[in-house]
Amino acid sequence: MKAAIRYQYGPPQLLSIGEVPQPVPEAHEILVRVYATTVNRTDCAVLTGWPLAIRAFTGLNKPKLPITGTDFAGQVEAVGQEVSNIKIGDKVWGFNDIGLESHAQYLCIAASGNVLAMPKNTSYEAAVASAEAAHYAVNFLNKIKLHAGQKVLVNGGTGAIGSAAIQLLKAMDVQVTAVCGTPHLAKIQALGADRVIDYTAEDFTQLNEQFDFVLDAVGKSTFFKCKRLLKPGGAYISSELGPGWQNIFLALTTPIIGGKKVIFPIPTDIKKSMLVVKELIEAGKFHPLMDRTYPLEKISEAFEYVGSGQKIGNVIIDLAD
Ligand SMILES: NC(=O)c1ccc[n+]([C@@H]2O[C@H](COP(=O)([O-])OP(=O)(O)OC[C@H]3O[C@@H](n4cnc5c(N)ncnc54)[C@H](OP(=O)(O)O)[C@@H]3O)[C@@H](O)[C@H]2O)c1
Protein backbone atom coordinates (compact mmCIF):
# COMPACT_ATOMS: atom_id res chain seq x y z
CA MET A 1 0.00 0.00 0.00
CA LYS A 2 1.01 3.65 -0.42
CA ALA A 3 1.95 5.60 2.72
CA ALA A 4 3.73 8.78 3.84
CA ILE A 5 6.86 7.70 5.70
CA ARG A 6 9.67 9.29 7.68
CA TYR A 7 12.21 7.78 10.10
CA GLN A 8 13.27 10.87 12.05
CA TYR A 9 11.74 14.08 13.39
CA GLY A 10 12.10 17.06 11.10
CA PRO A 11 10.55 19.19 8.37
CA PRO A 12 8.00 18.01 5.76
CA GLN A 13 10.78 17.43 3.20
CA LEU A 14 11.74 14.31 5.18
CA LEU A 15 8.45 12.69 4.25
CA SER A 16 8.36 10.41 1.25
CA ILE A 17 5.60 8.37 -0.34
CA GLY A 18 6.57 4.72 -0.38
CA GLU A 19 5.16 1.21 -0.77
CA VAL A 20 4.86 -0.64 2.55
CA PRO A 21 3.15 -3.92 3.45
CA GLN A 22 -0.57 -3.61 4.20
CA PRO A 23 -1.13 -4.08 7.97
CA VAL A 24 -2.91 -7.22 9.19
CA PRO A 25 -5.48 -6.79 11.99
CA GLU A 26 -4.90 -8.55 15.29
CA ALA A 27 -7.81 -10.33 17.00
CA HIS A 28 -9.07 -7.12 18.67
CA GLU A 29 -8.49 -4.83 15.66
CA ILE A 30 -10.19 -3.73 12.46
CA LEU A 31 -8.56 -3.07 9.09
CA VAL A 32 -9.74 0.20 7.51
CA ARG A 33 -9.36 1.31 3.91
CA VAL A 34 -8.67 5.00 4.44
CA TYR A 35 -10.50 7.29 2.00
CA ALA A 36 -9.75 10.65 3.63
CA THR A 37 -7.41 11.96 6.28
CA THR A 38 -6.19 15.46 7.19
CA VAL A 39 -2.95 17.23 7.80
CA ASN A 40 -3.57 19.16 11.00
CA ARG A 41 -1.57 21.05 13.62
CA THR A 42 -1.24 17.91 15.74
CA ASP A 43 0.31 16.13 12.73
CA CYS A 44 2.82 18.98 12.46
CA ALA A 45 3.85 18.41 16.09
CA VAL A 46 4.11 14.63 15.57
CA LEU A 47 6.15 15.19 12.39
CA THR A 48 8.62 17.64 13.87
CA GLY A 49 8.70 16.32 17.47
CA TRP A 50 8.06 19.88 18.57
CA PRO A 51 7.05 21.01 21.20
CA LEU A 52 9.47 18.51 22.78
CA ALA A 53 6.87 17.34 25.33
CA ILE A 54 5.09 15.43 22.55
CA ARG A 55 8.10 13.06 22.30
CA ALA A 56 7.13 11.55 25.66
CA PHE A 57 4.29 9.92 23.71
CA THR A 58 5.59 9.67 20.13
CA GLY A 59 9.20 8.53 20.78
CA LEU A 60 12.11 10.32 22.47
CA ASN A 61 14.84 10.28 19.81
CA LYS A 62 12.94 9.13 16.77
CA PRO A 63 9.27 8.58 15.97
CA LYS A 64 7.85 5.26 17.14
CA LEU A 65 5.51 5.26 14.14
CA PRO A 66 7.18 5.83 10.76
CA ILE A 67 3.90 6.57 8.97
CA THR A 68 2.36 9.96 9.83
CA GLY A 69 -1.34 10.75 10.32
CA THR A 70 -3.65 11.12 13.30
CA ASP A 71 -7.16 10.87 11.82
CA PHE A 72 -9.10 8.96 9.18
CA ALA A 73 -12.44 8.26 7.59
CA GLY A 74 -12.86 5.06 5.62
CA GLN A 75 -14.46 1.68 5.28
CA VAL A 76 -13.84 -1.50 7.27
CA GLU A 77 -12.26 -4.23 5.11
CA ALA A 78 -11.54 -6.89 7.74
CA VAL A 79 -12.14 -7.49 11.45
CA GLY A 80 -10.23 -9.59 14.00
CA GLN A 81 -11.99 -12.65 15.44
CA GLU A 82 -12.66 -10.93 18.80
CA VAL A 83 -14.42 -7.90 17.23
CA SER A 84 -18.19 -7.85 17.57
CA ASN A 85 -19.10 -4.11 17.59
CA ILE A 86 -17.91 -3.30 14.05
CA LYS A 87 -18.43 -5.25 10.84
CA ILE A 88 -16.91 -5.40 7.36
CA GLY A 89 -18.33 -2.63 5.16
CA ASP A 90 -19.01 -0.19 8.01
CA LYS A 91 -17.99 3.41 7.35
CA VAL A 92 -15.89 4.59 10.28
CA TRP A 93 -13.86 7.60 11.41
CA GLY A 94 -11.26 8.00 14.11
CA PHE A 95 -8.57 10.13 15.70
CA ASN A 96 -5.63 9.68 18.01
CA ASP A 97 -3.47 12.67 18.88
CA ILE A 98 -0.26 10.64 19.22
CA GLY A 99 -0.58 9.03 15.81
CA LEU A 100 -2.54 6.39 13.95
CA GLU A 101 -0.41 5.97 10.80
CA SER A 102 -3.43 7.21 8.85
CA HIS A 103 -1.51 8.90 6.01
CA ALA A 104 -1.77 5.56 4.23
CA GLN A 105 -4.24 3.56 2.19
CA TYR A 106 -4.90 1.13 5.07
CA LEU A 107 -4.56 1.16 8.85
CA CYS A 108 -5.41 -1.10 11.77
CA ILE A 109 -7.00 0.19 14.95
CA ALA A 110 -8.39 -1.52 18.06
CA ALA A 111 -12.16 -1.83 17.73
CA SER A 112 -12.42 -0.42 21.26
CA GLY A 113 -10.18 2.56 20.34
CA ASN A 114 -11.09 6.06 19.19
CA VAL A 115 -13.19 4.87 16.27
CA LEU A 116 -16.91 5.36 15.64
CA ALA A 117 -19.44 4.74 12.91
CA MET A 118 -19.35 7.81 10.64
CA PRO A 119 -22.09 10.39 11.20
CA LYS A 120 -25.08 9.71 8.93
CA ASN A 121 -25.20 11.48 5.56
CA THR A 122 -21.62 12.72 5.78
CA SER A 123 -18.81 12.46 3.27
CA TYR A 124 -15.46 10.93 4.24
CA GLU A 125 -13.94 14.42 3.88
CA ALA A 126 -16.47 16.11 6.18
CA ALA A 127 -16.22 13.32 8.76
CA VAL A 128 -12.45 13.46 8.98
CA ALA A 129 -12.54 17.28 9.13
CA SER A 130 -14.69 16.94 12.26
CA ALA A 131 -12.16 14.98 14.28
CA GLU A 132 -8.93 16.64 15.49
CA ALA A 133 -9.82 20.30 15.99
CA ALA A 134 -13.41 19.58 16.96
CA HIS A 135 -12.08 17.30 19.71
CA TYR A 136 -9.92 20.12 21.06
CA ALA A 137 -12.77 22.63 20.80
CA VAL A 138 -15.12 20.31 22.73
CA ASN A 139 -12.45 19.81 25.38
CA PHE A 140 -11.58 23.49 25.70
CA LEU A 141 -15.25 24.39 26.17
CA ASN A 142 -15.79 21.49 28.58
CA LYS A 143 -13.52 23.23 31.03
CA ILE A 144 -15.97 26.10 31.57
CA LYS A 145 -19.59 26.26 32.72
CA LEU A 146 -21.49 27.59 29.74
CA HIS A 147 -25.15 28.43 29.47
CA ALA A 148 -27.46 30.05 26.94
CA GLY A 149 -27.17 33.81 26.66
CA GLN A 150 -23.59 34.08 27.87
CA LYS A 151 -21.10 36.01 25.77
CA VAL A 152 -17.90 34.44 24.43
CA LEU A 153 -15.21 35.96 22.22
CA VAL A 154 -13.37 33.54 19.93
CA ASN A 155 -10.04 34.82 18.61
CA GLY A 156 -9.02 32.97 15.45
CA GLY A 157 -12.43 32.09 14.05
CA THR A 158 -10.91 30.79 10.80
CA GLY A 159 -8.70 28.22 12.54
CA ALA A 160 -9.78 24.61 12.72
CA ILE A 161 -10.34 24.86 16.49
CA GLY A 162 -11.91 28.34 16.31
CA SER A 163 -14.36 27.44 13.54
CA ALA A 164 -15.41 24.31 15.45
CA ALA A 165 -15.75 26.26 18.72
CA ILE A 166 -18.06 28.86 17.14
CA GLN A 167 -20.47 26.11 16.08
CA LEU A 168 -20.31 24.31 19.43
CA LEU A 169 -21.05 27.58 21.22
CA LYS A 170 -23.95 28.43 18.92
CA ALA A 171 -25.40 24.95 19.52
CA MET A 172 -25.50 26.00 23.21
CA ASP A 173 -27.19 29.34 22.36
CA VAL A 174 -24.18 31.31 23.51
CA GLN A 175 -23.61 34.76 21.95
CA VAL A 176 -20.42 34.58 19.91
CA THR A 177 -18.11 37.37 18.78
CA ALA A 178 -15.44 35.95 16.46
CA VAL A 179 -12.20 37.53 15.28
CA CYS A 180 -10.69 36.81 11.85
CA GLY A 181 -8.99 38.40 8.84
CA THR A 182 -10.76 40.40 6.09
CA PRO A 183 -11.06 37.70 3.38
CA HIS A 184 -12.99 35.32 5.61
CA LEU A 185 -15.56 37.52 7.36
CA ALA A 186 -18.52 36.06 5.44
CA LYS A 187 -17.38 32.46 6.04
CA ILE A 188 -17.22 33.00 9.77
CA GLN A 189 -20.57 34.78 9.82
CA ALA A 190 -22.01 31.76 8.00
CA LEU A 191 -20.81 29.49 10.82
CA GLY A 192 -23.25 31.34 13.07
CA ALA A 193 -21.12 33.97 14.80
CA ASP A 194 -23.33 36.83 16.01
CA ARG A 195 -20.62 39.38 15.31
CA VAL A 196 -17.36 39.15 13.39
CA ILE A 197 -14.43 41.47 13.99
CA ASP A 198 -11.81 41.99 11.29
CA TYR A 199 -8.47 41.93 13.09
CA THR A 200 -6.82 43.91 10.31
CA ALA A 201 -9.23 46.82 10.91
CA GLU A 202 -9.84 46.67 14.65
CA ASP A 203 -7.93 45.55 17.74
CA PHE A 204 -10.46 43.37 19.56
CA THR A 205 -8.64 43.80 22.88
CA GLN A 206 -9.74 47.47 22.83
CA LEU A 207 -13.49 46.69 22.62
CA ASN A 208 -15.67 48.50 25.14
CA GLU A 209 -17.52 45.36 26.03
CA GLN A 210 -17.09 42.43 28.40
CA PHE A 211 -17.39 38.68 27.90
CA ASP A 212 -17.90 35.68 30.15
CA PHE A 213 -15.06 33.88 28.40
CA VAL A 214 -12.37 34.63 25.84
CA LEU A 215 -11.26 31.60 23.83
CA ASP A 216 -8.00 32.35 22.06
CA ALA A 217 -8.29 29.50 19.59
CA VAL A 218 -5.06 30.41 17.77
CA GLY A 219 -3.09 31.44 20.85
CA LYS A 220 -2.10 34.78 19.33
CA SER A 221 -3.12 36.98 22.25
CA THR A 222 -2.47 36.81 26.00
CA PHE A 223 -4.42 36.86 29.25
CA PHE A 224 -3.01 40.28 30.11
CA LYS A 225 -4.17 41.77 26.79
CA CYS A 226 -7.62 40.19 27.13
CA LYS A 227 -8.13 40.70 30.88
CA ARG A 228 -10.08 43.95 30.48
CA LEU A 229 -12.52 42.16 28.18
CA LEU A 230 -13.47 39.65 30.86
CA LYS A 231 -16.43 40.12 33.18
CA PRO A 232 -15.64 39.68 36.89
CA GLY A 233 -15.06 35.94 37.37
CA GLY A 234 -14.57 35.49 33.61
CA ALA A 235 -11.90 33.20 32.15
CA TYR A 236 -9.32 33.24 29.36
CA ILE A 237 -8.61 29.94 27.61
CA SER A 238 -5.88 29.57 25.01
CA SER A 239 -4.94 26.75 22.65
CA GLU A 240 -1.28 27.67 23.18
CA LEU A 241 1.08 27.82 26.15
CA GLY A 242 1.62 31.58 25.71
CA PRO A 243 4.88 33.55 25.95
CA GLY A 244 7.28 31.75 28.33
CA TRP A 245 4.60 29.07 28.86
CA GLN A 246 2.78 31.66 31.02
CA ASN A 247 -0.63 30.06 30.58
CA ILE A 248 0.39 27.06 32.68
CA PHE A 249 1.68 29.28 35.49
CA LEU A 250 -1.36 31.57 35.27
CA ALA A 251 -3.76 28.61 35.27
CA LEU A 252 -2.20 27.51 38.57
CA THR A 253 -2.12 30.94 40.21
CA THR A 254 -5.10 33.00 38.96
CA PRO A 255 -7.79 30.68 40.47
CA ILE A 256 -6.12 31.08 43.91
CA ILE A 257 -6.04 34.87 43.63
CA GLY A 258 -9.69 34.95 42.57
CA GLY A 259 -11.44 37.18 40.01
CA LYS A 260 -10.56 36.83 36.35
CA LYS A 261 -8.64 33.65 35.60
CA VAL A 262 -6.78 31.55 33.07
CA ILE A 263 -7.85 28.00 32.36
CA PHE A 264 -5.30 25.75 30.66
CA PRO A 265 -7.32 23.07 28.93
CA ILE A 266 -5.76 19.62 28.85
CA PRO A 267 -7.70 17.63 26.25
CA THR A 268 -8.91 14.18 27.30
CA ASP A 269 -11.32 11.45 26.16
CA ILE A 270 -11.25 11.68 22.39
CA LYS A 271 -14.08 9.20 21.85
CA LYS A 272 -16.44 11.25 24.03
CA SER A 273 -15.70 14.41 22.00
CA MET A 274 -16.27 12.50 18.78
CA LEU A 275 -19.68 11.40 20.07
CA VAL A 276 -20.61 15.02 20.90
CA VAL A 277 -19.59 16.18 17.42
CA LYS A 278 -21.27 13.22 15.70
CA GLU A 279 -24.57 14.10 17.36
CA LEU A 280 -24.27 17.74 16.26
CA ILE A 281 -23.42 16.76 12.68
CA GLU A 282 -26.45 14.47 12.52
CA ALA A 283 -28.62 17.30 13.91
CA GLY A 284 -27.33 19.60 11.15
CA LYS A 285 -25.60 21.83 13.70
CA PHE A 286 -21.97 21.22 12.78
CA HIS A 287 -20.37 21.72 9.37
CA PRO A 288 -16.57 21.56 9.42
CA LEU A 289 -14.76 24.38 7.69
CA MET A 290 -12.68 22.87 4.90
CA ASP A 291 -9.81 24.41 3.00
CA ARG A 292 -7.69 22.69 0.36
CA THR A 293 -7.55 19.03 -0.64
CA TYR A 294 -4.26 17.39 -1.62
CA PRO A 295 -3.48 13.94 -3.02
CA LEU A 296 -1.21 11.77 -0.82
CA GLU A 297 1.67 12.38 -3.23
CA LYS A 298 1.61 16.09 -2.29
CA ILE A 299 1.48 15.58 1.46
CA SER A 300 4.74 17.46 2.07
CA GLU A 301 3.14 20.51 0.43
CA ALA A 302 0.09 20.05 2.66
CA PHE A 303 2.34 19.99 5.74
CA GLU A 304 4.11 23.17 4.56
CA TYR A 305 0.77 24.91 4.12
CA VAL A 306 -0.61 23.80 7.49
CA GLY A 307 2.66 24.74 9.20
CA SER A 308 2.41 28.25 7.70
CA GLY A 309 -0.51 28.96 10.08
CA GLN A 310 -2.70 30.18 7.21
CA LYS A 311 -5.13 27.35 6.69
CA ILE A 312 -8.84 27.98 6.95
CA GLY A 313 -10.29 25.16 9.00
CA ASN A 314 -9.13 21.75 7.80
CA VAL A 315 -6.78 20.50 5.08
CA ILE A 316 -7.82 17.18 3.55
CA ILE A 317 -5.72 14.40 2.03
CA ASP A 318 -7.79 12.48 -0.52
CA LEU A 319 -6.93 8.77 -0.61
CA ALA A 320 -9.86 7.59 -2.69
CA ASP A 321 -7.70 6.51 -5.67
N1 LIG B 1 -3.53 22.74 23.17
C1 LIG B 1 -3.68 21.71 22.32
O1 LIG B 1 -3.90 20.58 22.74
C2 LIG B 1 -3.60 21.97 20.85
C3 LIG B 1 -3.93 20.96 19.94
C4 LIG B 1 -3.90 21.25 18.58
C5 LIG B 1 -3.51 22.51 18.16
N2 LIG B 1 -3.13 23.43 19.07
C6 LIG B 1 -2.71 24.78 18.68
O2 LIG B 1 -3.91 25.49 18.48
C7 LIG B 1 -3.68 26.52 17.54
C8 LIG B 1 -4.82 26.51 16.57
O3 LIG B 1 -4.82 25.33 15.80
P1 LIG B 1 -5.75 25.30 14.51
O4 LIG B 1 -5.51 24.03 13.79
O5 LIG B 1 -7.12 25.67 14.89
O6 LIG B 1 -5.10 26.54 13.78
P2 LIG B 1 -5.05 26.84 12.26
O7 LIG B 1 -6.24 26.24 11.61
O8 LIG B 1 -3.70 26.51 11.74
O9 LIG B 1 -5.20 28.43 12.34
C9 LIG B 1 -4.90 29.16 11.21
C10 LIG B 1 -5.84 30.31 11.14
O10 LIG B 1 -5.55 31.22 12.19
C11 LIG B 1 -5.75 32.52 11.72
N3 LIG B 1 -4.93 33.52 12.42
C12 LIG B 1 -3.59 33.59 12.43
N4 LIG B 1 -3.20 34.64 13.16
C13 LIG B 1 -4.31 35.22 13.64
C14 LIG B 1 -4.56 36.34 14.48
N5 LIG B 1 -3.58 37.06 14.99
N6 LIG B 1 -5.83 36.64 14.77
C15 LIG B 1 -6.84 35.92 14.30
N7 LIG B 1 -6.68 34.85 13.48
C16 LIG B 1 -5.42 34.51 13.17
C17 LIG B 1 -5.33 32.44 10.28
O11 LIG B 1 -6.06 33.40 9.56
P3 LIG B 1 -5.30 34.59 8.80
O12 LIG B 1 -4.58 33.95 7.66
O13 LIG B 1 -6.41 35.50 8.45
O14 LIG B 1 -4.35 35.20 9.81
C18 LIG B 1 -5.71 31.03 9.85
O15 LIG B 1 -6.96 30.98 9.23
C19 LIG B 1 -2.32 26.25 16.91
O16 LIG B 1 -1.40 27.18 17.44
C20 LIG B 1 -1.99 24.84 17.36
O17 LIG B 1 -0.62 24.64 17.52
C21 LIG B 1 -3.20 23.20 20.41
Side-chain angles (χ1 to χ4, degrees):
M1 68 167 185
K2 277 192 294 183
I5 311 160
R6 53 63 202 260
Y7 295 99
Q8 61 193 88
Y9 291 118
Q13 295 76 12
L14 289 180
L15 265 179
S16 61
I17 305 302
E19 279 291 331
V20 294
Q22 189 175 307
V24 177
E26 291 182 23
H28 64 291
E29 290 182 329
I30 58 170
L31 172 73
V32 180
R33 168 68 171 94
V34 179
Y35 286 112
T37 175
T38 75
V39 172
N40 54 57
R41 297 291 289 249
T42 303
D43 288 318
C44 292
V46 176
L47 178 75
T48 56
W50 190 264
L52 282 177
I54 199 165
R55 297 189 189 202
F57 306 97
T58 58
L60 281 183
N61 297 318
K62 62 180 184 125
K64 285 183 200 160
L65 303 176
I67 301 173
T68 52
T70 52
D71 56 18
F72 67 90
Q75 194 160 21
V76 178
E77 291 239 334
V79 299
Q81 65 266 31
E82 288 170 12
V83 176
S84 55
N85 59 330
I86 299 177
K87 58 184 190 315
I88 292 173
D90 283 356
K91 289 181 172 185
V92 290
W93 61 312
F95 170 60
N96 190 334
D97 49 7
I98 57 171
L100 272 180
E101 299 204 295
S102 56
H103 291 161
Q105 287 175 307
Y106 292 88
L107 63 80
C108 286
I109 181 169
S112 60
N114 300 328
V115 53
L116 289 179
M118 262 174 49
K120 291 185 189 82
N121 306 321
T122 316
S123 65
Y124 290 121
E125 292 79 5
V128 81
S130 306
E132 186 248 13
H135 157 65
Y136 294 126
V138 169
N139 266 267
F140 293 178
L141 298 177
N142 269 346
K143 307 292 182 278
I144 52 186
K145 287 198 181 79
L146 283 162
H147 54 78
Q150 281 182 316
K151 288 168 65 177
V152 176
L153 182 138
V154 178
N155 184 33
T158 48
I161 297 175
S163 56
I166 292 169
Q167 298 181 75
L168 295 169
L169 289 163
K170 285 316 299 174
M172 290 182 256
D173 275 336
V174 167
Q175 270 190 54
V176 179
T177 297
V179 181
C180 71
T182 320
H184 311 297
L185 294 169
K187 268 197 185 111
I188 302 312
Q189 198 106 49
L191 294 179
D194 300 282
R195 181 156 55 124
V196 185
I197 293 177
D198 179 350
Y199 74 79
T200 65
E202 190 178 355
D203 177 358
F204 76 88
T205 64
Q206 298 308 310
L207 286 174
N208 281 323
E209 196 181 333
Q210 288 196 309
F211 298 86
D212 295 282
F213 302 100
V214 171
L215 171 60
D216 189 355
V218 281
K220 299 282 182 188
S221 193
T222 65
F223 171 61
F224 296 107
K225 284 187 191 156
C226 295
K227 199 172 171 188
R228 58 178 293 281
L229 294 179
L230 292 171
K231 291 182 184 172
Y236 171 83
I237 305 177
S238 175
S239 61
E240 284 288 344
L241 296 164
W245 290 26
Q246 62 176 244
N247 291 335
I248 294 183
F249 173 74
L250 292 168
L252 294 171
T253 52
T254 49
I256 301 170
I257 297 163
K260 303 174 182 184
K261 60 178 181 287
V262 173
I263 295 174
F264 187 72
I266 297 178
T268 53
D269 205 340
I270 293 170
K271 206 164 178 174
K272 207 163 153 190
S273 333
M274 288 177 65
L275 279 166
V276 170
V277 178
K278 179 175 168 169
E279 211 169 280
L280 288 175
I281 294 173
E282 291 180 344
K285 292 183 177 173
F286 189 93
H287 304 278
L289 194 56
M290 291 193 267
D291 191 334
R292 303 177 187 174
T293 298
Y294 292 84
L296 185 65
E297 287 69 21
K298 297 218 163 149
I299 196 160
S300 296
E301 261 180 54
F303 266 101
E304 293 277 3
Y305 179 52
V306 173
S308 75
Q310 290 174 325
K311 74 177 162 72
I312 305 303
N314 300 273
V315 167
I316 312 292
I317 302 295
D318 180 359
L319 278 147
D321 294 331

